[in-house]
Amino acid sequence: QQPVQSPQAVILREGEDAVINCSSSKALYSVHWYRQKHGEAPVFLMILLKGGEQKGHEKISASFNEKKQQSSLYLTASQLSYSGTYFCGTRRGANNLFFGTGTRLTVIP
Amino acid sequence: DGGITQSPKYLFRKEGQNVTLSCEQNLNHDAMYWYRQDPGQGLRLIYYSQIVNDFQKGDIAEGYSVSREKKESFPLTVTSAQKNPTAFYLCASSIEEAPATNEKLFFGSGTQLSVL
């Protein structure tokens, strides 16, 4: 039931863009995105619900394609503060979140 | 400030020993969760509780036990039956409301457990 994330790791220079993908083999009701810095607690970024909506959070946005059972996180004009591991969490119905293995993003000057 | 407090930050366990990780929240959230994180892996659910005096097993409950005697507290005991306990443990909480699909999790800062 664990979603699959890709890529596993990515290195960007400041100002570059990145896309992180999250896909599931099961039908989804919602997708959550969290960012975790090393040794710290994951921090909530956004939730996307059924309906194919796209949400934004400053220069970080995401889409949810329920037919394809996948979500993508878009980071534009990356900043050093974007570095961390990004996790997607998927929920089917009222069940708990199942998290992907994470994508480690490193932004360098 | 409202939030989730986990203690201790670092914990060491000897062979055959049970250890308890503390998790306290003052967010007035109904639901609480325990996740285990191993290097290079995602978060895996150990136990969760939606109301006081009730809890359910997650995906990897074997070797762990929990209690939920108070709304704000959800301690996790790593028993001697857990043969590979070294990991980073995260406690989380969420408001339990309908629809459940749009709840977000608030995480504590974690406890790193190591075996001596």
Side-chain angles (χ1 to χ4, degrees):
Chain A
Q1 301 190 66
Q2 189 175 30
V4 176
Q5 284 186 238
S6 62
Q8 289 185 322
V10 59
I11 299 175
L12 299 174
R13 291 197 179 275
E14 272 187 292
E16 291 183 337
D17 302 339
V19 180
I20 299 172
N21 299 304
C22 173
S23 62
S24 172
S25 59
K26 306 285 186 181
L28 302 175
Y29 279 76
S30 65
V31 178
H32 298 221
W33 285 98
Y34 292 80
R35 177 172 62 203
Q36 183 182 29
K37 295 191 180 284
H38 183 68
E40 298 181 9
V43 174
F44 170 79
L45 292 176
M46 65 189 76
I47 293 175
L48 299 103
L49 305 179
K50 282 172 61 174
E53 65 179 289
Q54 184 157 348
K55 299 192 74 173
H57 178 71
E58 296 182 345
K59 294 180 180 176
I60 300 175
S61 62
S63 62
F64 177 25
N65 187 323
E66 63 193 82
K67 287 185 179 179
K68 292 185 177 180
Q69 295 158 193
Q70 67 185 38
S71 175
S72 295
L73 186 72
Y74 307 95
L75 300 101
T76 59
S78 58
Q79 306 168 14
L80 294 176
S81 62
Y82 287 4
S83 292
T85 300
Y86 290 78
F87 291 99
C88 70
T90 57
R91 190 193 295 274
R92 296 183 291 116
N95 295 329
N96 286 291
L97 282 174
F98 293 94
F99 285 93
T101 53
T103 296
R104 178 176 291 180
L105 178 74
T106 304
V107 181
I108 58 176
Chain B
D1 287 338
I4 300 178
T5 302
Q6 288 188 243
S7 62
K9 193 171 179 65
Y10 300 97
L11 186 60
F12 297 91
R13 194 192 88 167
K14 295 180 181 178
E15 284 285 333
Q17 186 182 41
N18 293 352
V19 293
T20 298
L21 285 62
S22 171
C23 177
E24 303 277 331
Q25 56 100 356
N26 60 4
L27 299 167
N28 199 33
H29 285 174
D30 286 320
M32 297 187 74
Y33 312 81
W34 275 104
Y35 285 92
R36 169 177 171 144
Q37 185 175 32
D38 294 280
Q41 297 194 32
L43 307 176
R44 293 183 291 167
L45 183 65
I46 305 173
Y47 268 99
Y48 66 99
S49 168
Q50 294 176 315
I51 56 172
V52 174
N53 292 322
D54 187 47
F55 47 83
Q56 287 78 41
K57 293 181 179 180
D59 300 322
I60 54 167
E62 186 175 348
Y64 300 97
S65 66
V66 294
S67 63
R68 187 84 186 278
E69 297 177 0
K70 298 186 295 183
K71 186 176 184 178
E72 59 269 23
S73 179
F74 191 41
L76 173 74
T77 296
V78 183
T79 74
S80 57
Q82 172 50 247
K83 298 307 179 188
N84 185 23
T86 297
F88 190 56
Y89 291 85
L90 285 163
C91 178
S93 70
S94 65
I95 298 171
E96 189 71 10
E97 63 185 14
T101 54
N102 62 0
E103 297 174 40
K104 64 180 180 181
L105 298 184
F106 294 79
F107 285 90
S109 54
T111 293
Q112 176 64 50
L113 176 64
S114 303
V115 177
L116 289 177

